[in-house]
Amino acid sequence: MGVTRTPLIAGNWKMNLDHLQAVALVQKLHWSLKDAAHEADSVDVTVFPPFTDLRSVQTLLDADKIPFGLGAQDLSTHDSGAYTGEISGEFLAKLNCGSVIIGHSERREYHAEDDAVVAAKVAQALKHALVPVICVGETSEDLEKFGASAVPVAQLEKALESASATSEIVVAYEPVWAIGSGQAATPEQAQEVCQKLRDVIREKLGEDAAERTRVLYGGSVKSGNIAAFMREPDIDGALVGGGSLKVDEFSAIIRYQKHVGV
Ligand code: PEP
């Protein structure tokens, strides 16, 4: 029998919520899950606040023993030095961040991050014992030209250059056309690509890594569609943008196992 992968629901807050709003959201989310008698062990939850919120959220998670993971939205390709505005993996690890999003399509598009930069960031994350949440996905033009899987597969192959069989990584398949558009992929489409991404992990890092690595779907995930994605064998969770900014909605996404028909 294969390894059981604990589902992961990750909230990417992007450039939303200042540190006070972030603390309020985490507190309310924790209460909401407690009120609903949600079993924390059944699903891992990680929040990815803006850099300026990390310290406040970390302090709250520690003080109130809230069982959420903490992650950052990006990191520098360097350890330290004259890189104005950059944040190193070392600083993130000191703040008890366990993971970091790398290669989000918004970084690729607005900050010209190519596959080489993404690979360098994955190497930095691994160096500092942060789990890289490696985002890959095709644009609508890519979809038309090459189909759904060619671009994400090529992106992942390059991103894994510095990873080894024992590296802990998370992969997020996020079709760019589905992000923030309200038009999610179908669970079947997402499954097909996620399966191919797991094949890449198998080829590059071996069977063990392919079995234990969580592959997420991201792109217009909501409480109304999450359960259908989670029924797919190669989808182990979701990277959620807009839906993670509202307590009730994010709480309902996390509690997808209670939805009818799951
Ligand atoms: C994202 O940006 O990672 C994302 C999936 O956004 P949304 O859920 O808003 O589509």
Side-chain angles (χ1 to χ4, degrees):
M1 218 182 83
V3 180
T4 320
R5 298 180 289 269
T6 305
L8 170 62
I9 303 294
N12 173 16
W13 294 350
K14 311 193 186 191
M15 198 171 72
N16 294 293
L17 308 179
D18 62 35
H19 71 289
L20 299 174
Q21 294 168 321
V23 162
L25 193 148
V26 168
Q27 254 163 348
K28 285 182 192 157
L29 183 64
H30 179 50
W31 293 332
S32 159
L33 293 169
K34 265 185 131 174
D35 284 351
H38 172 72
E39 286 160 32
D41 294 355
S42 62
V43 177
D44 287 342
V45 176
T46 298
V47 292
F48 292 84
F51 286 131
T52 51
D53 302 359
L54 287 172
R55 177 67 171 143
S56 308
V57 173
Q58 179 235 331
T59 304
L60 170 65
L61 296 179
D62 285 356
D64 288 7
K65 300 196 171 31
I66 297 175
F68 300 164
L70 180 66
Q73 296 176 18
D74 186 31
L75 88 174
S76 172
T77 54
H78 304 280
D79 279 341
S80 63
Y83 302 102
T84 302
E86 293 285 279
I87 303 289
S88 85
E90 199 175 326
F91 303 162
L92 298 175
K94 276 260 163 65
L95 279 178
N96 288 351
C97 281
S99 53
V100 56
I101 295 173
I102 295 176
H104 191 281
S105 64
E106 288 150 16
R107 300 290 316 172
R108 292 180 192 260
E109 183 180 354
Y110 306 135
H111 300 271
E113 289 193 6
D114 60 14
D115 288 333
V117 170
V118 170
K121 290 189 172 187
V122 171
Q124 276 299 108
L126 293 173
K127 177 175 171 185
H128 295 290
L130 298 161
V131 176
V133 178
I134 304 167
C135 298
V136 296
E138 80 288 359
T139 62
S140 48
E141 293 79 38
D142 296 332
L143 181 64
E144 224 166 84
K145 266 204 230 161
F146 313 113
S149 59
V151 167
V153 160
Q155 288 174 336
L156 185 59
E157 283 170 347
K158 291 187 190 117
L160 291 183
E161 266 163 19
S162 60
S164 71
T166 55
S167 302
E168 199 190 334
I169 60 166
V170 169
V171 173
Y173 168 52
E174 298 208 303
V176 181
W177 47 268
I179 295 178
S181 67
Q183 190 203 339
T186 66
E188 296 74 26
Q189 284 169 331
Q191 160 60 26
E192 205 180 310
V193 180
C194 289
Q195 185 175 20
K196 293 205 169 116
L197 295 174
R198 196 176 302 286
D199 290 342
V200 172
I201 301 167
R202 184 172 294 108
E203 275 158 36
K204 294 258 161 201
L205 309 180
E207 184 60 36
D208 243 39
E211 279 298 307
R212 73 165 189 276
T213 297
R214 291 180 288 192
V215 179
L216 316 182
Y217 166 75
S220 297
V221 168
K222 299 185 182 66
S223 55
N225 62 17
I226 178 73
F229 286 109
M230 296 305 292
R231 272 185 222 118
E232 298 293 340
D234 285 295
I235 300 180
D236 307 311
L239 183 54
V240 186
S244 69
L245 294 170
K246 292 196 195 96
V247 175
D248 291 347
E249 178 63 4
F250 197 34
S251 172
I253 291 171
I254 293 164
R255 290 181 287 110
Y256 74 89
Q257 289 164 336
K258 297 276 154 55
H259 298 193
V260 181
V262 178

